[in-house]
């Protein structure tokens, strides 16, 4: 009997509306031939390294409303790409691509990801886990924090010190040449990663789960715009890369037991206008900065999807800041630890943890189209992203609708399931396919209905949450699936 294996292929930032026959014909054909989940969603915040951690742990960053009495137990604890936690004593947010700071944080936390990850779990089952990634340093490390200790392969384009020893970075460079320089579009890097996947990593018959994580079209969306010439070139290249993977799969991979899961971690919307939240808070009289020190009482992790932590978690100061935010036209959704003063609770979006800030906020979004005709826009506090560039991290329905499709001899053919699903379901689904017991820490579910002779699609329902204070009001749609405590996120917006 042939060995069951999984290839997980991720295109960072890919929007579903680009998967069409005239833009990505190979991926579109695969999606139509196998199992598609059009209502898949990211976790919050919809930033890449949070999604990485949700993929490898099967959990959200924090707990859900049903977990409030057990705050701190649930979730992986990577609260954003960069997040401020006063317990760390840092002079600003912890950047999860700063390896020195990550090591220091590990010494304080004990564990960076609070729940067991894919590499650890597979190693306990004597299964082989292997990773190729073109993503940033933090992306690479969070895909397998313990690759060297577990003697697993992790290849990062960022060098031997980021890659694991077993990946043999220098040996790959000697065989395939140096990693191409990053550019927009990053086509040469995408092609390089595909080549080493097909001509090196997949030659190892011992691998049970292989990951390839592309950093496009995310980069081109960010800096050239969603639908720009550069982004379309990136999509064309990625589809060609996927076509090469399909050629291998149809020739030998499928008969060798490989199932294929293709996803994006999030989508993107377009930046409309820059807003400096720290400057706005300072102008309003708040003592704001990047960390709580000396006379700074309000620490801001600035972004389109931002975080605010106040000294001693002072509820009066939190209330004042919320009242200020709600009075600003640029402010969008707001969340607090207790859901007070017209905010939602972080627990309602699976984001309550001892590492949580006092306030999660998003800048305001609309469904206005950009210059290339793609819907979704927002104010943003990201000066490195040009106006018109793509962005993500929040909860607009467009940006959290990630792409997800599955195929292989274990899977049904030509099926579309409208049930809400998400990146937290990938680990349980892989474990189900491998016949491994799903860990109790997982907050997602195995997509059993996707498998041949699988179960019927579970029942599910949507709930539209509302919160208001004065002239400010907001709504958030969540979906509850039978047998799963944590809700799936369907999108939210400021109403007035």
């Amino acid at each position: 009997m042939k060995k069951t294996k999984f290839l997980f292929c991720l295109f960072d930032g890919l929007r579903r509306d680009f998967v069409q026959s005239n833009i990505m014909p190979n991926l579109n054909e695969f999606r139509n031939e196998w199992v598609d989940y059009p209502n898949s969603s990211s976790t919050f915040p919809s930033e890449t390294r949070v999604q990485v951690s949700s993929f490898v742990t099967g959990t959200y960053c924090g707990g859900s409303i049903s977990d409030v009495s057990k705050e701190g137990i649930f979730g992986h604890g990577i609260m954003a790409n960069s997040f401020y936690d006063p317990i760390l004593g840092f002079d600003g947010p912890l950047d999860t691509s700063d390896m020195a700071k990550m090591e220091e944080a590990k010494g304080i936390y004990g564990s960076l990801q609070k729940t067991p990850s894919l590499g650890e779990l597979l190693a306990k089952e004597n299964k082989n886990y292997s990773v190729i990634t073109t993503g940033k340093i933090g992306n690479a490390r969070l895909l397998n924090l313990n690759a060297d200790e577990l003697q697993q392969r992790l290849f990062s384009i960022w060098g031997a010190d980021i890659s694991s020893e077993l990946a043999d970075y220098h040996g790959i460079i000697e065989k395939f040449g140096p990693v191409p320089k990053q550019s927009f579009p990053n086509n040469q890097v995408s092609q390089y990663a595909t080549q080493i996947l097909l001509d090196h990593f997949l030659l190892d018959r011992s691998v049970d789960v292989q990951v390839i994580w592309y950093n496009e079209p995310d980069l081109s969306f960010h800096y050239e715009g969603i639908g720009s010439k550069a982004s379309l070139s990136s999509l064309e290249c990625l589809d060609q890369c996927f076509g090469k993977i399909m050629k291998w799969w149809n020739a030998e991979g499928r008969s060798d037991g490989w199932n294929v899961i293709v996803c994006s971690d999030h989508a993107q919307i377009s930046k409309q206008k820059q807003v400096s939240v720290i400057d706005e808070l300072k102008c309003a009289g708040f003592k704001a900065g990047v960390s709580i020190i000396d006379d700074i009482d309000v620490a801001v992790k600035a972004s389109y999807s931002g975080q605010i932590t106040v000294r001693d978690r002072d509820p009066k100061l939190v209330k004042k800041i919320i009242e200020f935010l709600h009075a600003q036209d640029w402010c969008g959704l707001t969340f607090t630890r207790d859901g007070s003063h017209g905010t939602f609770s972080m627990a309602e979006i699976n984001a309550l943890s001892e590492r949580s800030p006092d306030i999660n906020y998003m800048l305001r979004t609309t469904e206005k189209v950009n210059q290339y005709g793609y819907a979704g826009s927002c104010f943003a506090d990201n000066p490195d992203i040009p106006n018109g560039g793509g962005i993500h991290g929040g909860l607009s329905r467009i940006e959290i609708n990630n792409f997800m499709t599955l195929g292989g001899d274990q899977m049904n053919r030509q099926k579309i399931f409208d049930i809400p699903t998400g990146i937290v379901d990938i680990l349980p689904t892989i474990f189900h396919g491998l016949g491994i017991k799903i860990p109790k820490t997982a907050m997602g579910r195995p997509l059993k209905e996707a498998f041949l002779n699988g179960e019927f699609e579970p029942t599910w329902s949507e709930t539209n949450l509302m919160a208001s204070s004065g002239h400010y009001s907001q709504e958030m749609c969540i979906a509850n699936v039978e047998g799963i405590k944590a809700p799936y996120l369907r999108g939210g917006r400021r109403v007035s």
Side-chain angles (χ1 to χ4, degrees):
M1 185 175 180
K2 63 186 177 184
K3 177 181 175 182
T4 298
K5 308 172 188 179
F6 281 88
L7 172 62
F8 177 67
C9 179
L10 188 132
F11 300 117
D12 203 316
L14 176 64
R15 287 173 51 137
R16 286 189 59 87
D17 48 2
F18 283 101
V19 185
Q20 301 177 23
S21 59
N22 62 328
I23 300 175
M24 302 188 80
N26 292 308
L27 184 54
N28 185 62
E29 180 182 0
F30 181 81
R31 181 261 303 271
N32 290 335
E33 184 64 25
W34 295 98
V35 180
D36 185 29
Y37 283 93
N39 288 324
S40 184
S41 62
S42 307
T43 66
F44 176 78
S46 54
E47 295 180 349
T48 295
R49 281 164 253 166
V50 179
Q51 307 314 305
V52 168
S53 296
S54 290
F55 158 59
V56 299
T57 64
T59 68
Y60 296 88
C61 70
S64 69
I65 200 72
S66 63
D67 302 326
V68 168
S69 62
K70 302 175 183 178
E71 179 185 340
I73 293 176
F74 292 88
H76 55 67
I78 303 299
M79 311 309 294
N81 282 357
S82 297
F83 63 96
Y84 180 76
D85 185 351
I87 197 173
L88 296 174
F90 293 169
D91 57 1
L94 166 63
D95 179 354
T96 55
S97 269
D98 185 330
M99 289 301 100
K101 288 292 187 183
M102 287 283 274
E103 282 301 310
E104 193 174 343
K106 181 181 178 181
I108 296 168
Y109 285 146
S111 179
L112 292 168
Q113 290 168 333
K114 293 164 50 182
T115 44
S117 70
L118 193 54
E120 298 168 276
L121 293 164
L122 288 173
K124 289 181 180 178
E125 299 290 338
N126 295 314
K127 299 291 185 182
N128 193 339
Y129 176 56
S130 175
V131 174
I132 302 168
T133 177
T134 67
K136 291 183 178 179
I137 292 171
N139 165 289
R141 294 303 299 271
L142 290 168
L143 279 166
N144 195 345
L145 284 166
N146 304 300
D148 276 324
E149 177 186 333
L150 297 170
Q151 294 188 311
Q152 295 170 336
R153 292 192 301 177
L154 167 65
F155 178 85
S156 166
I157 63 169
W158 296 105
D161 55 338
I162 307 302
S163 304
S164 68
E165 183 178 352
L166 192 63
D168 189 18
Y169 178 88
H170 293 299
I172 288 175
I173 300 306
E174 183 177 345
K175 182 178 179 180
F176 295 98
V179 176
K181 291 183 179 180
Q182 299 255 47
S183 60
F184 309 130
N186 210 21
N187 293 349
Q188 289 185 328
V189 171
S190 297
Q191 291 163 347
Y192 184 90
T194 305
Q195 183 183 12
I196 66 171
L197 170 72
L198 294 172
D199 296 340
H200 186 76
F201 278 75
L202 289 175
L203 299 181
D204 182 354
R205 296 299 182 93
S206 72
V207 175
D208 297 284
V209 177
Q210 174 67 57
V211 173
I212 182 164
W213 192 294
Y214 294 93
N215 64 2
E216 284 280 38
D218 188 74
L219 287 180
S220 293
F221 282 173
H222 275 314
Y223 298 105
E224 300 292 335
I226 300 166
S228 65
K229 182 178 179 180
S231 72
L232 293 176
S233 173
S234 170
L235 292 165
E236 181 183 5
C237 175
L238 291 171
D239 192 65
Q240 290 170 354
C241 291
F242 186 69
K244 291 178 181 178
I245 294 171
M246 286 294 96
K247 184 177 180 180
W248 159 82
W249 190 60
N250 288 318
E252 58 182 290
R254 184 175 164 192
S255 62
D256 198 31
W258 286 95
N259 296 278
V260 180
I261 301 176
V262 188
C263 287
S264 59
D265 49 344
H266 52 74
Q268 289 198 21
I269 56 177
S270 299
K271 177 181 175 181
Q272 178 181 341
K273 183 180 180 181
Q274 171 69 22
V275 175
S276 172
V277 174
I278 287 182
D279 288 348
E280 295 284 340
L281 286 166
K282 286 179 177 177
C283 287
F286 293 99
K287 297 175 180 178
V290 296
S291 65
I292 299 171
I293 54 170
D294 301 330
D295 62 342
I296 302 298
D297 297 322
V298 180
V300 181
K301 195 282 291 191
S303 184
Y304 150 60
S305 178
Q307 301 175 338
I308 294 175
T309 303
V310 306
R311 188 184 297 276
D312 301 324
R313 299 201 183 276
D314 181 356
K316 293 181 180 179
L317 184 52
V318 169
K319 181 182 179 183
K320 288 180 181 178
I321 295 171
I322 288 295
E323 290 172 347
F324 166 77
L325 291 174
H326 286 177
Q328 310 310 307
D329 183 61
W330 45 258
C331 178
L333 295 168
T334 55
F335 299 82
T336 55
R337 297 169 74 87
D338 60 2
S340 58
H341 315 304
T343 66
F344 293 123
S345 167
M346 294 173 191
E348 290 174 311
I349 54 170
N350 312 312
L352 185 61
S353 166
E354 76 280 5
R355 300 181 188 178
S356 298
D358 293 303
I359 300 168
N360 277 117
Y361 66 88
M362 276 126 272
L363 301 194
R364 199 164 189 173
T365 63
T366 75
E367 296 202 359
K368 178 181 176 181
V369 300
N370 71 359
Q371 61 179 314
Y372 305 108
Y374 290 92
S377 68
C378 64
F379 292 95
D381 192 0
N382 301 79
D384 60 314
I385 303 295
N387 288 344
I391 203 159
H392 55 93
L395 285 166
S396 75
R397 68 170 188 86
I398 296 171
E399 72 186 299
I400 65 170
N401 184 201
N402 72 307
F403 181 81
M404 183 186 289
T405 185
L406 303 83
D409 285 349
Q410 283 196 329
M411 306 297 171
N412 282 302
R413 301 291 291 265
Q414 299 178 344
K415 291 282 189 179
I416 298 174
F417 292 106
D418 289 327
I419 185 171
T421 185
I423 202 160
V424 292
D425 297 329
I426 296 168
L427 181 147
T429 299
I430 289 174
F431 275 49
H432 175 72
L434 294 175
I436 298 173
K437 184 178 180 181
I438 297 167
K440 293 181 180 179
T441 51
M443 298 169 77
R445 70 180 185 90
L447 304 177
K448 295 181 180 180
E449 67 278 0
F451 289 78
L452 292 171
N453 303 314
E455 298 178 0
F456 288 108
E457 188 176 354
T459 59
W460 60 281
S461 62
E462 289 185 345
T463 302
N464 204 39
L465 306 173
M466 299 291 296
S468 62
S469 178
H471 296 292
Y472 173 89
S473 63
Q474 59 179 342
E475 64 180 8
M476 181 72 206
C477 184
I478 60 174
N480 293 103
V481 173
E482 178 188 4
I484 302 299
K485 290 183 179 180
Y488 294 88
L489 310 179
R490 306 289 286 132
R493 67 185 182 100
R494 177 176 176 174
V495 179
S496 64

